[in-house]
Amino acid sequence: MSEHIGPRPPSGDRAVDEILADFDTAMGQGPAGQVAAAASAHRALQQRLTAPTPPPPGPGEARPGPRA
C-alpha cells in the first residue's frame, strides 16, 4: 500500500478537507485506530456527498478551473 507523502492538496470543499485531515492524523495510530478512522471518514464523506451544495470558497481558497 502506498503512503501519502506531504500535505494533501485542498479539494475545494472545506468539510472534505477537514475529514481527510482527521483521517491523515489517525493514520499514525495502531491498526484498530486506523480501521476506525477509515470507517468514520467513509461515513462522513458519504454524508457530505448527499449534503446540499456548500457555499463557494472564500477568497484565496478557490481552486483554478480548467484552462480553455
Side-chain angles (χ1 to χ4, degrees):
M1 177 160 82
S2 65
E3 185 175 318
H4 180 77
I5 298 176
R8 186 183 297 274
S11 70
D13 183 320
R14 187 175 303 177
V16 170
D17 292 340
E18 290 173 4
I19 293 165
L20 294 175
D22 290 345
F23 176 73
D24 288 342
T25 299
M27 290 300 95
Q29 300 175 6
Q34 291 175 355
V35 169
S40 177
H42 183 256
R43 281 190 303 273
L45 290 169
Q46 281 185 318
Q47 288 174 349
R48 183 69 199 101
L49 285 172
T50 60
T53 304
E61 295 180 359
R63 292 178 64 182
R67 294 182 183 210

